Amino acid sequence: AYGQKNEPLMKRVLANSFMALFVLCIILSIAGILMRRMVLRWVHTPPEVLEMAASYLGVLVGSMLLQFYFNWLSGMLRSLGDATTPLIIILAATLLNIIFVPLFITGAGPLPRLGLTGAAWGTVLANSLAGLGGYFYVERKYPLFNIRRWEFTVDWASIKRVFGIGLPASLQMIVASVSGVLIISLVNGFGTEVAAAY
């Protein structure tokens, strides 16, 4: 759509991909919260750290809705041929992570010590702020990204096309993620010290 300079199609694709991902995030968040302990047992999480891991995972999957915009925006900008802006947003998120995660783990000033769960909250806050900042920056650079100007009308053809284009890349990422899960599953079998070292 961008290559064709087809602005109405671009707006439809942006709005429909946004809505589809929004709904998908709600479904995945609910499933993730309900199934997190079962998933952790599948990867042989040592019993002594299961509750900490479940708390950490619960925060991450439960707040997916706050963080999805960050990833959606990066994907959309790359599709426009802009790889620099997503890099800036990711660098901002990384720097905020470096600041927030230790603060939330150890506690500082009015912040209580949250331990492992604090690492998840720090990541959520960092990604959410980077996504929000990214939105205001991108909205000025590309007026098409102004959500207030979109027509939120479901267009199944656009949704189907977006998923059709994105599926091969998603499968590639899933393969990498599954291999990481299999490795951590093997590592977890050796106990908490080996898992921590890994």
Side-chain angles (χ1 to χ4, degrees):
Y2 180 71
Q4 294 170 1
K5 306 296 181 197
N6 188 338
E7 193 169 309
L9 179 59
M10 281 178 67
K11 283 182 178 176
R12 268 203 317 277
V13 169
L14 286 171
N16 279 273
S17 62
F18 184 90
M19 289 188 292
L21 195 57
F22 187 88
V23 171
L24 193 60
C25 279
I26 291 171
I27 294 166
L28 290 174
S29 287
I30 293 167
I33 289 167
L34 295 175
M35 297 174 64
R36 68 187 190 275
R37 283 181 179 81
M38 183 172 63
V39 170
L40 288 168
R41 287 190 190 97
W42 284 346
V43 295
H44 307 113
T45 303
E48 57 269 36
V49 295
L50 183 68
E51 284 310 307
M52 277 195 297
S55 176
Y56 176 87
L57 192 57
V59 171
L60 283 184
V61 296
S63 62
M64 202 181 287
L65 205 56
L66 296 173
Q67 302 184 76
F68 93 96
Y69 182 78
F70 171 81
N71 292 309
W72 174 86
L73 183 63
S74 296
M76 290 297 122
L77 287 169
R78 286 188 194 100
S79 73
L80 299 181
D82 182 352
T84 306
T85 304
L87 177 63
I88 292 166
I89 295 169
I90 289 168
L91 282 173
T94 303
L95 290 171
L96 290 170
N97 257 291
I98 291 168
I99 295 165
F100 291 143
V101 169
L103 286 176
F104 278 76
I105 290 172
T106 59
L111 283 174
R113 182 185 177 94
L114 297 173
L116 185 62
T117 309
W121 282 117
T123 298
V124 169
L125 183 60
N127 290 349
S128 300
L129 288 175
L132 189 64
Y135 169 74
F136 289 113
Y137 174 75
V138 169
E139 182 191 36
R140 288 192 186 96
K141 192 173 180 180
Y142 302 102
L144 276 171
F145 280 84
N146 186 338
I147 292 173
R148 295 180 299 277
R149 294 181 184 168
W150 291 353
E151 285 182 31
F152 286 96
T153 306
V154 176
D155 177 8
W156 291 108
S158 292
I159 292 171
K160 186 178 175 184
R161 195 164 178 202
V162 166
F163 273 86
I165 293 169
L167 193 62
S170 298
L171 289 172
Q172 183 181 342
M173 292 172 74
I174 287 168
V175 168
S177 297
V178 167
S179 65
V181 169
L182 290 173
I183 290 168
I184 198 69
S185 177
L186 291 169
V187 170
N188 280 341
F190 293 98
T192 54
E193 290 179 4
V194 176
Y198 174 77

